[in-house]
Amino acid sequence: MSEQVLKGGNVMERSRTRTLTQIAMLGAVAGVLMNFEFPIPFLAPSFYQLDFSEIPVLIGSFAMGPLAGVVIELVKILVHLVTKGTMTAGVGDVANFILGCAFVVPAGLIYRFHHIKSRKHAVEGMVVGTVLTSIAACLLNAFVLLPAYGKAFGMPIEAFIEMGTAVNPSVNSLLGFVAMIIVPFNLFKYTLTSMIVFFIYKRIRVILKGD
């Protein structure tokens, strides 16, 4: 009996070690991907950058659960800070963490906690995550990020609105900026991320063996 308990303990320990290793690996990959960002000039001003760092985080959330996704998101931010630093006194990095969690946590919850996991549940999770993240991005940008950036760089809110107008002439207020710049940008970003994960997840899961 004691031998069986010992074997069971060893299996659990190996499983825990494997999970921690996968979390660290996915977080490191996500942190590196976060360093490669580029603007989408037809959607938003150049200070809004697109990157693919949420792909490894979402994969981890699907494979190991939403809590693992949160830890991977944290590792991603720490790797990014170490390798590239911050230009926003950490405000942008905290916002990135919050938005990343708003995306991967509901997606992971909806996918993982179905008895039979399917692509349908994955799509449902990613749709919910995308919508919630877009809403969270609107609130964060309007009440925290844009005022913080303006204070840090000595720019009034009107300057950001003018940048938005250059992209979309219909933008003439903060509300218009949120509705016509932030919403389309985040819908595009997280929909693109979701599509990529949709097509590659099954192959990656074979390696991770999270299910």
Side-chain angles (χ1 to χ4, degrees):
M1 182 66 178
S2 58
E3 184 177 350
Q4 291 178 344
V5 172
L6 183 61
K7 288 181 179 179
N10 290 336
V11 170
M12 291 180 61
E13 184 64 31
R14 286 196 297 269
S15 177
R16 188 180 300 111
T17 301
R18 182 183 181 86
T19 298
L20 291 175
T21 301
Q22 291 173 352
I23 287 174
M25 177 189 68
L26 290 171
V29 172
V32 171
L33 287 176
M34 191 177 174
N35 293 337
F36 297 95
E37 51 187 8
F38 51 90
I40 312 177
F42 61 89
L43 275 181
S46 59
F47 59 88
Y48 286 107
Q49 303 275 317
L50 174 68
D51 66 72
F52 296 105
S53 63
E54 300 303 340
I55 292 175
V57 187
L58 182 56
I59 289 173
S61 189
F62 278 166
M64 293 174 281
L67 180 59
V70 172
V71 179
I72 295 169
E73 191 73 44
L74 178 60
V75 172
K76 179 195 82 171
I77 298 298
L78 294 177
V79 170
H80 174 71
L81 288 173
V82 169
T83 57
K84 193 172 182 179
T86 179
M87 296 181 62
T88 61
V91 175
D93 302 289
V94 172
N96 189 287
F97 174 78
I98 293 172
L99 294 179
C101 290
F103 178 56
V104 303
V105 168
L109 282 171
I110 292 173
Y111 178 74
R112 289 287 300 182
F113 293 102
H114 278 89
H115 179 66
I116 300 177
K117 301 175 182 64
S118 68
R119 287 192 169 189
K120 176 185 175 182
H121 298 139
V123 171
E124 289 175 354
M126 291 186 289
V127 169
V128 172
T130 297
V131 171
L132 290 178
T133 307
S134 297
I135 294 172
C138 290
L139 296 174
L140 272 177
N141 277 273
F143 297 108
V144 179
L145 296 182
L146 292 178
Y149 290 153
K151 186 175 182 179
F153 295 104
M155 297 172 61
I157 294 296
E158 289 73 21
F160 296 109
I161 296 173
E162 290 176 4
M163 293 180 189
T165 304
V167 176
N168 187 333
S170 298
V171 175
N172 54 22
S173 64
L174 181 58
L175 179 60
F177 188 95
V178 168
M180 289 176 274
I181 298 295
I182 296 174
V183 171
F185 176 81
N186 283 278
L187 287 176
F188 179 83
K189 175 181 178 178
Y190 292 102
T191 298
L192 182 59
T193 298
S194 298
M195 290 175 62
I196 294 172
V197 172
F198 179 83
F199 288 110
I200 70 172
Y201 174 68
K202 289 297 183 181
R203 297 176 183 178
I204 303 297
R205 184 176 66 83
V206 172
I207 300 173
L208 297 176
K209 294 181 179 177
D211 289 328

PDB file of all heavy atoms in Angstrom, residues 62-90:
ATOM      1  N   PHE A  62      -6.191  26.996 -22.430  1.00  0.00           N
ATOM      2  CA  PHE A  62      -6.971  25.872 -22.934  1.00  0.00           C
ATOM      3  C   PHE A  62      -6.420  24.544 -22.420  1.00  0.00           C
ATOM      4  O   PHE A  62      -7.167  23.653 -22.033  1.00  0.00           O
ATOM      5  CB  PHE A  62      -6.955  25.866 -24.462  1.00  0.00           C
ATOM      6  CG  PHE A  62      -7.959  26.793 -25.099  1.00  0.00           C
ATOM      7  CD1 PHE A  62      -7.876  27.114 -26.438  1.00  0.00           C
ATOM      8  CD2 PHE A  62      -9.000  27.341 -24.363  1.00  0.00           C
ATOM      9  CE1 PHE A  62      -8.801  27.953 -27.036  1.00  0.00           C
ATOM     10  CE2 PHE A  62      -9.932  28.186 -24.939  1.00  0.00           C
ATOM     11  CZ  PHE A  62      -9.834  28.492 -26.282  1.00  0.00           C
ATOM     12  N   ALA A  63      -5.113  24.398 -22.443  1.00  0.00           N
ATOM     13  CA  ALA A  63      -4.491  23.111 -22.124  1.00  0.00           C
ATOM     14  C   ALA A  63      -4.433  22.820 -20.633  1.00  0.00           C
ATOM     15  O   ALA A  63      -4.601  21.677 -20.209  1.00  0.00           O
ATOM     16  CB  ALA A  63      -3.074  23.059 -22.707  1.00  0.00           C
ATOM     17  N   MET A  64      -4.206  23.868 -19.813  1.00  0.00           N
ATOM     18  CA  MET A  64      -3.968  23.650 -18.391  1.00  0.00           C
ATOM     19  C   MET A  64      -4.942  24.383 -17.480  1.00  0.00           C
ATOM     20  O   MET A  64      -4.882  24.246 -16.265  1.00  0.00           O
ATOM     21  CB  MET A  64      -2.528  24.057 -18.042  1.00  0.00           C
ATOM     22  CG  MET A  64      -1.485  23.170 -18.673  1.00  0.00           C
ATOM     23  SD  MET A  64       0.219  23.771 -18.402  1.00  0.00           S
ATOM     24  CE  MET A  64       0.317  25.063 -19.651  1.00  0.00           C
ATOM     25  N   GLY A  65      -5.820  25.165 -18.055  1.00  0.00           N
ATOM     26  CA  GLY A  65      -6.822  25.846 -17.253  1.00  0.00           C
ATOM     27  C   GLY A  65      -6.557  27.340 -17.133  1.00  0.00           C
ATOM     28  O   GLY A  65      -5.446  27.814 -17.380  1.00  0.00           O
ATOM     29  N   PRO A  66      -7.579  28.121 -16.764  1.00  0.00           N
ATOM     30  CA  PRO A  66      -7.465  29.581 -16.709  1.00  0.00           C
ATOM     31  C   PRO A  66      -6.459  30.096 -15.692  1.00  0.00           C
ATOM     32  O   PRO A  66      -5.845  31.138 -15.898  1.00  0.00           O
ATOM     33  CB  PRO A  66      -8.890  30.036 -16.368  1.00  0.00           C
ATOM     34  CG  PRO A  66      -9.553  28.834 -15.773  1.00  0.00           C
ATOM     35  CD  PRO A  66      -8.939  27.651 -16.452  1.00  0.00           C
ATOM     36  N   LEU A  67      -6.287  29.374 -14.562  1.00  0.00           N
ATOM     37  CA  LEU A  67      -5.302  29.811 -13.574  1.00  0.00           C
ATOM     38  C   LEU A  67      -3.902  29.760 -14.169  1.00  0.00           C
ATOM     39  O   LEU A  67      -3.090  30.679 -13.966  1.00  0.00           O
ATOM     40  CB  LEU A  67      -5.381  28.940 -12.320  1.00  0.00           C
ATOM     41  CG  LEU A  67      -4.394  29.303 -11.200  1.00  0.00           C
ATOM     42  CD1 LEU A  67      -4.607  30.745 -10.750  1.00  0.00           C
ATOM     43  CD2 LEU A  67      -4.557  28.347 -10.018  1.00  0.00           C
ATOM     44  N   ALA A  68      -3.616  28.696 -14.912  1.00  0.00           N
ATOM     45  CA  ALA A  68      -2.329  28.606 -15.602  1.00  0.00           C
ATOM     46  C   ALA A  68      -2.191  29.743 -16.601  1.00  0.00           C
ATOM     47  O   ALA A  68      -1.110  30.319 -16.767  1.00  0.00           O
ATOM     48  CB  ALA A  68      -2.207  27.256 -16.307  1.00  0.00           C
ATOM     49  N   GLY A  69      -3.302  30.095 -17.269  1.00  0.00           N
ATOM     50  CA  GLY A  69      -3.273  31.206 -18.210  1.00  0.00           C
ATOM     51  C   GLY A  69      -2.882  32.511 -17.540  1.00  0.00           C
ATOM     52  O   GLY A  69      -2.109  33.301 -18.093  1.00  0.00           O
ATOM     53  N   VAL A  70      -3.398  32.752 -16.336  1.00  0.00           N
ATOM     54  CA  VAL A  70      -3.059  33.966 -15.590  1.00  0.00           C
ATOM     55  C   VAL A  70      -1.563  33.986 -15.259  1.00  0.00           C
ATOM     56  O   VAL A  70      -0.889  35.021 -15.393  1.00  0.00           O
ATOM     57  CB  VAL A  70      -3.892  34.065 -14.299  1.00  0.00           C
ATOM     58  CG1 VAL A  70      -3.403  35.212 -13.419  1.00  0.00           C
ATOM     59  CG2 VAL A  70      -5.362  34.265 -14.637  1.00  0.00           C
ATOM     60  N   VAL A  71      -1.024  32.840 -14.813  1.00  0.00           N
ATOM     61  CA  VAL A  71       0.396  32.769 -14.470  1.00  0.00           C
ATOM     62  C   VAL A  71       1.258  32.968 -15.713  1.00  0.00           C
ATOM     63  O   VAL A  71       2.283  33.669 -15.676  1.00  0.00           O
ATOM     64  CB  VAL A  71       0.728  31.428 -13.791  1.00  0.00           C
ATOM     65  CG1 VAL A  71       2.218  31.356 -13.461  1.00  0.00           C
ATOM     66  CG2 VAL A  71      -0.096  31.240 -12.521  1.00  0.00           C
ATOM     67  N   ILE A  72       0.868  32.368 -16.820  1.00  0.00           N
ATOM     68  CA  ILE A  72       1.601  32.550 -18.079  1.00  0.00           C
ATOM     69  C   ILE A  72       1.580  34.022 -18.488  1.00  0.00           C
ATOM     70  O   ILE A  72       2.595  34.572 -18.948  1.00  0.00           O
ATOM     71  CB  ILE A  72       1.005  31.673 -19.193  1.00  0.00           C
ATOM     72  CG1 ILE A  72       1.187  30.197 -18.857  1.00  0.00           C
ATOM     73  CG2 ILE A  72       1.656  31.973 -20.552  1.00  0.00           C
ATOM     74  CD1 ILE A  72       0.399  29.256 -19.758  1.00  0.00           C
ATOM     75  N   GLU A  73       0.427  34.658 -18.305  1.00  0.00           N
ATOM     76  CA  GLU A  73       0.311  36.095 -18.616  1.00  0.00           C
ATOM     77  C   GLU A  73       1.275  36.903 -17.759  1.00  0.00           C
ATOM     78  O   GLU A  73       1.927  37.844 -18.249  1.00  0.00           O
ATOM     79  CB  GLU A  73      -1.130  36.545 -18.363  1.00  0.00           C
ATOM     80  CG  GLU A  73      -1.458  37.926 -18.871  1.00  0.00           C
ATOM     81  CD  GLU A  73      -1.585  37.994 -20.380  1.00  0.00           C
ATOM     82  OE1 GLU A  73      -2.207  37.102 -20.978  1.00  0.00           O
ATOM     83  OE2 GLU A  73      -1.034  38.950 -20.968  1.00  0.00           O
ATOM     84  N   LEU A  74       1.391  36.561 -16.491  1.00  0.00           N
ATOM     85  CA  LEU A  74       2.307  37.262 -15.591  1.00  0.00           C
ATOM     86  C   LEU A  74       3.759  37.043 -16.011  1.00  0.00           C
ATOM     87  O   LEU A  74       4.557  37.994 -16.046  1.00  0.00           O
ATOM     88  CB  LEU A  74       2.086  36.785 -14.157  1.00  0.00           C
ATOM     89  CG  LEU A  74       3.005  37.407 -13.101  1.00  0.00           C
ATOM     90  CD1 LEU A  74       2.821  38.919 -13.052  1.00  0.00           C
ATOM     91  CD2 LEU A  74       2.719  36.797 -11.725  1.00  0.00           C
ATOM     92  N   VAL A  75       4.104  35.800 -16.327  1.00  0.00           N
ATOM     93  CA  VAL A  75       5.462  35.497 -16.780  1.00  0.00           C
ATOM     94  C   VAL A  75       5.766  36.281 -18.055  1.00  0.00           C
ATOM     95  O   VAL A  75       6.872  36.822 -18.232  1.00  0.00           O
ATOM     96  CB  VAL A  75       5.641  33.985 -17.021  1.00  0.00           C
ATOM     97  CG1 VAL A  75       6.992  33.694 -17.668  1.00  0.00           C
ATOM     98  CG2 VAL A  75       5.492  33.215 -15.718  1.00  0.00           C
ATOM     99  N   LYS A  76       4.794  36.357 -18.940  1.00  0.00           N
ATOM    100  CA  LYS A  76       4.956  37.114 -20.192  1.00  0.00           C
ATOM    101  C   LYS A  76       5.346  38.561 -19.918  1.00  0.00           C
ATOM    102  O   LYS A  76       6.300  39.088 -20.515  1.00  0.00           O
ATOM    103  CB  LYS A  76       3.652  37.079 -20.989  1.00  0.00           C
ATOM    104  CG  LYS A  76       3.704  37.845 -22.302  1.00  0.00           C
ATOM    105  CD  LYS A  76       2.314  38.097 -22.872  1.00  0.00           C
ATOM    106  CE  LYS A  76       1.676  39.304 -22.222  1.00  0.00           C
ATOM    107  NZ  LYS A  76       0.400  39.691 -22.907  1.00  0.00           N
ATOM    108  N   ILE A  77       4.618  39.210 -19.006  1.00  0.00           N
ATOM    109  CA  ILE A  77       4.891  40.606 -18.682  1.00  0.00           C
ATOM    110  C   ILE A  77       6.280  40.765 -18.068  1.00  0.00           C
ATOM    111  O   ILE A  77       7.034  41.692 -18.413  1.00  0.00           O
ATOM    112  CB  ILE A  77       3.819  41.161 -17.723  1.00  0.00           C
ATOM    113  CG1 ILE A  77       2.437  41.131 -18.384  1.00  0.00           C
ATOM    114  CG2 ILE A  77       4.173  42.576 -17.287  1.00  0.00           C
ATOM    115  CD1 ILE A  77       2.318  41.971 -19.623  1.00  0.00           C
ATOM    116  N   LEU A  78       6.651  39.855 -17.169  1.00  0.00           N
ATOM    117  CA  LEU A  78       7.961  39.930 -16.526  1.00  0.00           C
ATOM    118  C   LEU A  78       9.084  39.741 -17.537  1.00  0.00           C
ATOM    119  O   LEU A  78      10.091  40.463 -17.505  1.00  0.00           O
ATOM    120  CB  LEU A  78       8.057  38.870 -15.420  1.00  0.00           C
ATOM    121  CG  LEU A  78       7.119  39.067 -14.227  1.00  0.00           C
ATOM    122  CD1 LEU A  78       7.253  37.908 -13.238  1.00  0.00           C
ATOM    123  CD2 LEU A  78       7.394  40.395 -13.526  1.00  0.00           C
ATOM    124  N   VAL A  79       8.919  38.796 -18.446  1.00  0.00           N
ATOM    125  CA  VAL A  79       9.930  38.579 -19.494  1.00  0.00           C
ATOM    126  C   VAL A  79      10.053  39.820 -20.376  1.00  0.00           C
ATOM    127  O   VAL A  79      11.151  40.254 -20.732  1.00  0.00           O
ATOM    128  CB  VAL A  79       9.577  37.340 -20.349  1.00  0.00           C
ATOM    129  CG1 VAL A  79      10.471  37.257 -21.590  1.00  0.00           C
ATOM    130  CG2 VAL A  79       9.702  36.069 -19.521  1.00  0.00           C
ATOM    131  N   HIS A  80       8.923  40.404 -20.717  1.00  0.00           N
ATOM    132  CA  HIS A  80       8.931  41.616 -21.541  1.00  0.00           C
ATOM    133  C   HIS A  80       9.644  42.762 -20.835  1.00  0.00           C
ATOM    134  O   HIS A  80      10.444  43.485 -21.451  1.00  0.00           O
ATOM    135  CB  HIS A  80       7.498  42.009 -21.872  1.00  0.00           C
ATOM    136  CG  HIS A  80       7.390  43.313 -22.605  1.00  0.00           C
ATOM    137  ND1 HIS A  80       7.787  43.460 -23.920  1.00  0.00           N
ATOM    138  CD2 HIS A  80       6.937  44.542 -22.216  1.00  0.00           C
ATOM    139  CE1 HIS A  80       7.584  44.708 -24.312  1.00  0.00           C
ATOM    140  NE2 HIS A  80       7.075  45.379 -23.291  1.00  0.00           N
ATOM    141  N   LEU A  81       9.375  42.934 -19.546  1.00  0.00           N
ATOM    142  CA  LEU A  81      10.015  44.010 -18.791  1.00  0.00           C
ATOM    143  C   LEU A  81      11.517  43.805 -18.703  1.00  0.00           C
ATOM    144  O   LEU A  81      12.295  44.765 -18.797  1.00  0.00           O
ATOM    145  CB  LEU A  81       9.408  44.087 -17.386  1.00  0.00           C
ATOM    146  CG  LEU A  81       7.981  44.645 -17.299  1.00  0.00           C
ATOM    147  CD1 LEU A  81       7.448  44.509 -15.878  1.00  0.00           C
ATOM    148  CD2 LEU A  81       7.942  46.101 -17.739  1.00  0.00           C
ATOM    149  N   VAL A  82      11.943  42.552 -18.535  1.00  0.00           N
ATOM    150  CA  VAL A  82      13.373  42.250 -18.427  1.00  0.00           C
ATOM    151  C   VAL A  82      14.076  42.441 -19.763  1.00  0.00           C
ATOM    152  O   VAL A  82      15.196  42.970 -19.830  1.00  0.00           O
ATOM    153  CB  VAL A  82      13.588  40.811 -17.897  1.00  0.00           C
ATOM    154  CG1 VAL A  82      15.046  40.406 -18.028  1.00  0.00           C
ATOM    155  CG2 VAL A  82      13.124  40.706 -16.457  1.00  0.00           C
ATOM    156  N   THR A  83      13.448  42.020 -20.850  1.00  0.00           N
ATOM    157  CA  THR A  83      14.108  42.039 -22.156  1.00  0.00           C
ATOM    158  C   THR A  83      13.979  43.369 -22.891  1.00  0.00           C
ATOM    159  O   THR A  83      14.849  43.729 -23.688  1.00  0.00           O
ATOM    160  CB  THR A  83      13.550  40.930 -23.067  1.00  0.00           C
ATOM    161  OG1 THR A  83      12.121  41.094 -23.210  1.00  0.00           O
ATOM    162  CG2 THR A  83      13.838  39.557 -22.475  1.00  0.00           C
ATOM    163  N   LYS A  84      12.902  44.106 -22.616  1.00  0.00           N
ATOM    164  CA  LYS A  84      12.687  45.354 -23.357  1.00  0.00           C
ATOM    165  C   LYS A  84      12.438  46.557 -22.461  1.00  0.00           C
ATOM    166  O   LYS A  84      12.658  47.694 -22.867  1.00  0.00           O
ATOM    167  CB  LYS A  84      11.510  45.188 -24.324  1.00  0.00           C
ATOM    168  CG  LYS A  84      11.413  46.301 -25.354  1.00  0.00           C
ATOM    169  CD  LYS A  84      10.363  45.996 -26.411  1.00  0.00           C
ATOM    170  CE  LYS A  84      10.317  47.096 -27.465  1.00  0.00           C
ATOM    171  NZ  LYS A  84       9.314  46.800 -28.530  1.00  0.00           N
ATOM    172  N   GLY A  85      11.997  46.343 -21.248  1.00  0.00           N
ATOM    173  CA  GLY A  85      11.702  47.453 -20.371  1.00  0.00           C
ATOM    174  C   GLY A  85      10.332  48.051 -20.645  1.00  0.00           C
ATOM    175  O   GLY A  85       9.524  47.487 -21.376  1.00  0.00           O
ATOM    176  N   THR A  86      10.089  49.222 -20.071  1.00  0.00           N
ATOM    177  CA  THR A  86       8.798  49.873 -20.239  1.00  0.00           C
ATOM    178  C   THR A  86       8.980  51.344 -20.579  1.00  0.00           C
ATOM    179  O   THR A  86       9.931  51.984 -20.120  1.00  0.00           O
ATOM    180  CB  THR A  86       7.941  49.751 -18.958  1.00  0.00           C
ATOM    181  OG1 THR A  86       6.702  50.422 -19.159  1.00  0.00           O
ATOM    182  CG2 THR A  86       8.660  50.353 -17.768  1.00  0.00           C
ATOM    183  N   MET A  87       8.078  51.859 -21.391  1.00  0.00           N
ATOM    184  CA  MET A  87       8.080  53.283 -21.732  1.00  0.00           C
ATOM    185  C   MET A  87       6.884  53.992 -21.092  1.00  0.00           C
ATOM    186  O   MET A  87       6.635  55.160 -21.358  1.00  0.00           O
ATOM    187  CB  MET A  87       8.032  53.462 -23.251  1.00  0.00           C
ATOM    188  CG  MET A  87       9.254  52.919 -23.978  1.00  0.00           C
ATOM    189  SD  MET A  87       9.165  53.179 -25.769  1.00  0.00           S
ATOM    190  CE  MET A  87       9.135  54.975 -25.857  1.00  0.00           C
ATOM    191  N   THR A  88       6.141  53.273 -20.270  1.00  0.00           N
ATOM    192  CA  THR A  88       4.914  53.830 -19.691  1.00  0.00           C
ATOM    193  C   THR A  88       4.920  53.756 -18.173  1.00  0.00           C
ATOM    194  O   THR A  88       3.855  53.795 -17.553  1.00  0.00           O
ATOM    195  CB  THR A  88       3.687  53.077 -20.227  1.00  0.00           C
ATOM    196  OG1 THR A  88       3.781  51.697 -19.847  1.00  0.00           O
ATOM    197  CG2 THR A  88       3.605  53.176 -21.743  1.00  0.00           C
ATOM    198  N   ALA A  89       6.089  53.649 -17.578  1.00  0.00           N
ATOM    199  CA  ALA A  89       6.213  53.527 -16.114  1.00  0.00           C
ATOM    200  C   ALA A  89       5.424  52.350 -15.572  1.00  0.00           C
ATOM    201  O   ALA A  89       4.947  52.357 -14.444  1.00  0.00           O
ATOM    202  CB  ALA A  89       5.782  54.820 -15.433  1.00  0.00           C
ATOM    203  N   GLY A  90       5.257  51.326 -16.400  1.00  0.00           N
ATOM    204  CA  GLY A  90       4.567  50.112 -15.981  1.00  0.00           C
ATOM    205  C   GLY A  90       3.066  50.144 -16.179  1.00  0.00           C
ATOM    206  O   GLY A  90       2.410  49.101 -16.067  1.00  0.00           O
TER     207      GLY A  90
END
